[in-house]
Short mmCIF file of all heavy atoms in Angstrom, two decimals:
data_model
loop_
_atom_site.label_atom_id
_atom_site.label_comp_id
_atom_site.label_asym_id
_atom_site.label_seq_id
_atom_site.Cartn_x
_atom_site.Cartn_y
_atom_site.Cartn_z
N LEU A 1340 -10.53 -24.67 2.26
CA LEU A 1340 -11.62 -25.31 2.99
C LEU A 1340 -11.25 -25.60 4.44
O LEU A 1340 -12.11 -25.54 5.32
CB LEU A 1340 -12.04 -26.59 2.28
CG LEU A 1340 -12.80 -26.39 0.96
CD1 LEU A 1340 -12.95 -27.70 0.21
CD2 LEU A 1340 -14.16 -25.74 1.20
N ARG A 1341 -9.98 -25.88 4.72
CA ARG A 1341 -9.55 -26.08 6.11
C ARG A 1341 -9.69 -24.80 6.92
O ARG A 1341 -10.08 -24.83 8.08
CB ARG A 1341 -8.11 -26.58 6.16
CG ARG A 1341 -7.95 -28.07 5.87
CD ARG A 1341 -6.63 -28.61 6.42
NE ARG A 1341 -5.48 -27.89 5.90
CZ ARG A 1341 -4.84 -28.20 4.77
NH1 ARG A 1341 -5.28 -29.21 4.03
NH2 ARG A 1341 -3.80 -27.51 4.37
N ILE A 1342 -9.38 -23.65 6.29
CA ILE A 1342 -9.55 -22.37 6.99
C ILE A 1342 -11.03 -22.15 7.30
O ILE A 1342 -11.40 -21.75 8.42
CB ILE A 1342 -8.99 -21.21 6.15
CG1 ILE A 1342 -7.48 -21.35 5.97
CG2 ILE A 1342 -9.31 -19.86 6.80
CD1 ILE A 1342 -6.89 -20.38 4.97
N VAL A 1343 -11.88 -22.39 6.31
CA VAL A 1343 -13.33 -22.24 6.51
C VAL A 1343 -13.79 -23.13 7.67
O VAL A 1343 -14.56 -22.70 8.54
CB VAL A 1343 -14.09 -22.59 5.22
CG1 VAL A 1343 -15.59 -22.69 5.48
CG2 VAL A 1343 -13.82 -21.55 4.14
N GLU A 1344 -13.31 -24.37 7.69
CA GLU A 1344 -13.70 -25.30 8.75
C GLU A 1344 -13.24 -24.81 10.12
O GLU A 1344 -14.00 -24.85 11.11
CB GLU A 1344 -13.10 -26.68 8.46
CG GLU A 1344 -13.50 -27.75 9.46
CD GLU A 1344 -12.88 -29.09 9.14
OE1 GLU A 1344 -12.12 -29.19 8.14
OE2 GLU A 1344 -13.15 -30.05 9.88
N LYS A 1345 -12.01 -24.31 10.21
CA LYS A 1345 -11.48 -23.82 11.48
C LYS A 1345 -12.25 -22.59 11.97
O LYS A 1345 -12.52 -22.45 13.17
CB LYS A 1345 -10.00 -23.48 11.35
CG LYS A 1345 -9.08 -24.69 11.24
CD LYS A 1345 -7.63 -24.24 11.11
CE LYS A 1345 -6.68 -25.43 11.05
NZ LYS A 1345 -5.26 -25.00 10.92
N VAL A 1346 -12.59 -21.70 11.04
CA VAL A 1346 -13.35 -20.51 11.42
C VAL A 1346 -14.71 -20.91 11.98
O VAL A 1346 -15.16 -20.39 13.00
CB VAL A 1346 -13.52 -19.56 10.20
CG1 VAL A 1346 -14.53 -18.46 10.51
CG2 VAL A 1346 -12.17 -18.95 9.83
N ARG A 1347 -15.35 -21.88 11.36
CA ARG A 1347 -16.67 -22.29 11.82
C ARG A 1347 -16.59 -23.10 13.12
O ARG A 1347 -17.52 -23.06 13.93
CB ARG A 1347 -17.37 -23.10 10.72
CG ARG A 1347 -17.77 -22.20 9.55
CD ARG A 1347 -18.83 -22.84 8.68
NE ARG A 1347 -19.37 -21.85 7.75
CZ ARG A 1347 -19.35 -21.98 6.43
NH1 ARG A 1347 -18.81 -23.05 5.87
NH2 ARG A 1347 -19.87 -21.04 5.66
N GLU A 1348 -15.50 -23.80 13.34
CA GLU A 1348 -15.32 -24.48 14.62
C GLU A 1348 -15.18 -23.47 15.74
O GLU A 1348 -15.72 -23.66 16.84
CB GLU A 1348 -14.08 -25.38 14.57
CG GLU A 1348 -14.26 -26.65 13.76
CD GLU A 1348 -12.97 -27.45 13.66
OE1 GLU A 1348 -11.92 -26.94 14.14
OE2 GLU A 1348 -13.00 -28.56 13.11
N ALA A 1349 -14.47 -22.37 15.47
CA ALA A 1349 -14.26 -21.34 16.48
C ALA A 1349 -15.46 -20.42 16.63
O ALA A 1349 -15.77 -19.94 17.73
CB ALA A 1349 -13.02 -20.51 16.14
N MET A 1350 -16.19 -20.20 15.53
CA MET A 1350 -17.34 -19.28 15.51
C MET A 1350 -18.44 -19.92 14.67
O MET A 1350 -18.57 -19.62 13.48
CB MET A 1350 -16.94 -17.92 14.92
CG MET A 1350 -15.95 -17.15 15.74
SD MET A 1350 -15.31 -15.70 14.82
CE MET A 1350 -14.27 -16.52 13.61
N PRO A 1351 -19.24 -20.80 15.23
CA PRO A 1351 -20.26 -21.51 14.45
C PRO A 1351 -21.24 -20.59 13.73
O PRO A 1351 -21.81 -20.97 12.70
CB PRO A 1351 -20.98 -22.36 15.51
CG PRO A 1351 -19.99 -22.51 16.62
CD PRO A 1351 -19.21 -21.24 16.64
N GLU A 1352 -21.42 -19.39 14.25
CA GLU A 1352 -22.40 -18.47 13.65
C GLU A 1352 -21.80 -17.61 12.55
O GLU A 1352 -22.48 -16.76 11.96
CB GLU A 1352 -22.98 -17.56 14.74
CG GLU A 1352 -22.06 -16.45 15.24
CD GLU A 1352 -21.03 -16.90 16.29
OE1 GLU A 1352 -20.70 -18.10 16.34
OE2 GLU A 1352 -20.54 -16.02 17.03
N ALA A 1353 -20.52 -17.80 12.23
CA ALA A 1353 -19.85 -16.93 11.26
C ALA A 1353 -20.45 -17.06 9.88
O ALA A 1353 -20.77 -18.15 9.41
CB ALA A 1353 -18.36 -17.27 11.22
N ALA A 1354 -20.60 -15.92 9.21
CA ALA A 1354 -21.01 -15.88 7.81
C ALA A 1354 -19.76 -15.64 6.97
O ALA A 1354 -19.01 -14.69 7.21
CB ALA A 1354 -22.03 -14.77 7.57
N ILE A 1355 -19.54 -16.49 5.98
CA ILE A 1355 -18.34 -16.43 5.16
C ILE A 1355 -18.73 -16.10 3.73
O ILE A 1355 -19.64 -16.70 3.16
CB ILE A 1355 -17.55 -17.75 5.23
CG1 ILE A 1355 -17.14 -18.03 6.68
CG2 ILE A 1355 -16.33 -17.71 4.31
CD1 ILE A 1355 -16.47 -19.36 6.89
N SER A 1356 -18.03 -15.13 3.15
CA SER A 1356 -18.28 -14.74 1.76
C SER A 1356 -16.97 -14.80 0.99
O SER A 1356 -15.89 -14.95 1.57
CB SER A 1356 -18.88 -13.33 1.70
OG SER A 1356 -18.05 -12.39 2.35
N THR A 1357 -17.06 -14.64 -0.34
CA THR A 1357 -15.87 -14.85 -1.15
C THR A 1357 -15.96 -14.12 -2.48
O THR A 1357 -17.00 -13.54 -2.81
CB THR A 1357 -15.66 -16.36 -1.40
OG1 THR A 1357 -14.32 -16.58 -1.85
CG2 THR A 1357 -16.64 -16.90 -2.42
N ASP A 1358 -14.86 -14.16 -3.25
CA ASP A 1358 -14.81 -13.70 -4.64
C ASP A 1358 -14.46 -14.91 -5.51
O ASP A 1358 -13.61 -15.72 -5.13
CB ASP A 1358 -13.72 -12.64 -4.87
CG ASP A 1358 -13.96 -11.37 -4.09
OD1 ASP A 1358 -15.12 -11.06 -3.81
OD2 ASP A 1358 -12.97 -10.67 -3.77
N ILE A 1359 -15.07 -15.01 -6.68
CA ILE A 1359 -14.79 -16.10 -7.60
C ILE A 1359 -14.72 -15.55 -9.03
O ILE A 1359 -15.58 -14.76 -9.43
CB ILE A 1359 -15.86 -17.21 -7.53
CG1 ILE A 1359 -15.95 -17.79 -6.13
CG2 ILE A 1359 -15.56 -18.32 -8.55
CD1 ILE A 1359 -17.10 -18.75 -5.93
N ILE A 1360 -13.70 -15.99 -9.77
CA ILE A 1360 -13.56 -15.63 -11.18
C ILE A 1360 -13.92 -16.84 -12.02
O ILE A 1360 -13.44 -17.94 -11.79
CB ILE A 1360 -12.11 -15.20 -11.50
CG1 ILE A 1360 -11.71 -13.98 -10.68
CG2 ILE A 1360 -11.97 -14.90 -12.99
CD1 ILE A 1360 -10.24 -13.61 -10.82
N VAL A 1361 -14.76 -16.62 -13.02
CA VAL A 1361 -15.16 -17.68 -13.96
C VAL A 1361 -14.49 -17.44 -15.30
O VAL A 1361 -14.46 -16.31 -15.79
CB VAL A 1361 -16.69 -17.70 -14.14
CG1 VAL A 1361 -17.09 -18.74 -15.18
CG2 VAL A 1361 -17.39 -17.97 -12.82
N GLY A 1362 -13.94 -18.50 -15.90
CA GLY A 1362 -13.40 -18.39 -17.25
C GLY A 1362 -11.97 -17.91 -17.33
O GLY A 1362 -11.56 -17.33 -18.36
N PHE A 1363 -11.18 -18.12 -16.27
CA PHE A 1363 -9.76 -17.78 -16.34
C PHE A 1363 -9.13 -18.57 -17.49
O PHE A 1363 -9.54 -19.69 -17.78
CB PHE A 1363 -9.09 -18.13 -15.01
CG PHE A 1363 -7.66 -17.67 -14.92
CD1 PHE A 1363 -7.35 -16.37 -14.62
CD2 PHE A 1363 -6.62 -18.58 -15.16
CE1 PHE A 1363 -6.03 -15.95 -14.54
CE2 PHE A 1363 -5.30 -18.17 -15.08
CZ PHE A 1363 -5.00 -16.84 -14.77
N PRO A 1364 -8.11 -18.00 -18.17
CA PRO A 1364 -7.51 -18.69 -19.32
C PRO A 1364 -7.14 -20.14 -19.01
O PRO A 1364 -6.50 -20.42 -18.00
CB PRO A 1364 -6.27 -17.85 -19.62
CG PRO A 1364 -6.66 -16.47 -19.19
CD PRO A 1364 -7.52 -16.67 -17.97
N GLY A 1365 -7.56 -21.03 -19.89
CA GLY A 1365 -7.25 -22.44 -19.73
C GLY A 1365 -8.23 -23.20 -18.86
O GLY A 1365 -8.10 -24.42 -18.71
N GLU A 1366 -9.20 -22.51 -18.26
CA GLU A 1366 -10.17 -23.20 -17.41
C GLU A 1366 -10.99 -24.18 -18.24
O GLU A 1366 -11.62 -23.80 -19.23
CB GLU A 1366 -11.10 -22.20 -16.74
CG GLU A 1366 -12.13 -22.85 -15.81
CD GLU A 1366 -13.19 -21.86 -15.33
OE1 GLU A 1366 -14.06 -21.49 -16.15
OE2 GLU A 1366 -13.13 -21.45 -14.16
N THR A 1367 -10.97 -25.45 -17.82
CA THR A 1367 -11.75 -26.48 -18.50
C THR A 1367 -13.07 -26.70 -17.77
O THR A 1367 -13.28 -26.18 -16.67
CB THR A 1367 -10.98 -27.80 -18.54
OG1 THR A 1367 -10.81 -28.27 -17.19
CG2 THR A 1367 -9.62 -27.62 -19.20
N GLU A 1368 -13.92 -27.52 -18.36
CA GLU A 1368 -15.17 -27.86 -17.70
C GLU A 1368 -14.89 -28.61 -16.40
O GLU A 1368 -15.60 -28.42 -15.40
CB GLU A 1368 -16.05 -28.71 -18.62
CG GLU A 1368 -17.40 -29.08 -18.04
CD GLU A 1368 -18.28 -27.87 -17.71
OE1 GLU A 1368 -18.14 -26.83 -18.38
OE2 GLU A 1368 -19.12 -27.97 -16.79
N GLU A 1369 -13.83 -29.41 -16.39
CA GLU A 1369 -13.45 -30.11 -15.16
C GLU A 1369 -12.99 -29.13 -14.09
O GLU A 1369 -13.31 -29.29 -12.90
CB GLU A 1369 -12.34 -31.13 -15.46
CG GLU A 1369 -12.77 -32.33 -16.29
CD GLU A 1369 -12.99 -31.97 -17.77
OE1 GLU A 1369 -12.44 -30.94 -18.22
OE2 GLU A 1369 -13.72 -32.72 -18.45
N ASP A 1370 -12.22 -28.11 -14.49
CA ASP A 1370 -11.79 -27.08 -13.53
C ASP A 1370 -13.01 -26.36 -12.95
O ASP A 1370 -13.09 -26.13 -11.73
CB ASP A 1370 -10.88 -26.05 -14.21
CG ASP A 1370 -9.55 -26.64 -14.64
OD1 ASP A 1370 -9.00 -27.46 -13.89
OD2 ASP A 1370 -9.08 -26.26 -15.72
N PHE A 1371 -13.94 -26.01 -13.81
CA PHE A 1371 -15.13 -25.30 -13.35
C PHE A 1371 -15.94 -26.17 -12.40
O PHE A 1371 -16.49 -25.67 -11.41
CB PHE A 1371 -15.98 -24.86 -14.55
CG PHE A 1371 -17.22 -24.12 -14.16
CD1 PHE A 1371 -17.16 -22.88 -13.54
CD2 PHE A 1371 -18.47 -24.67 -14.39
CE1 PHE A 1371 -18.31 -22.21 -13.16
CE2 PHE A 1371 -19.63 -24.01 -14.03
CZ PHE A 1371 -19.55 -22.77 -13.41
#
């Protein structure tokens, strides 16, 4: 999140995308 914040401070118009995995072994409801 700090990287995301720094990128937006430097480039307010930046569009940020990502990859997310759901259900990794041991993932609890709290983790999710």
Side-chain angles (χ1 to χ4, degrees):
L1340 288 170
R1341 280 201 304 271
I1342 296 170
V1343 170
E1344 183 180 1
K1345 287 180 178 180
V1346 169
R1347 289 198 169 122
E1348 286 176 355
M1350 294 170 288
E1352 74 279 23
I1355 299 175
S1356 57
T1357 196
D1358 297 333
I1359 301 173
I1360 299 173
V1361 176
F1363 187 80
E1366 181 189 73
T1367 65
E1368 182 61 29
E1369 290 74 21
D1370 293 321
F1371 180 66

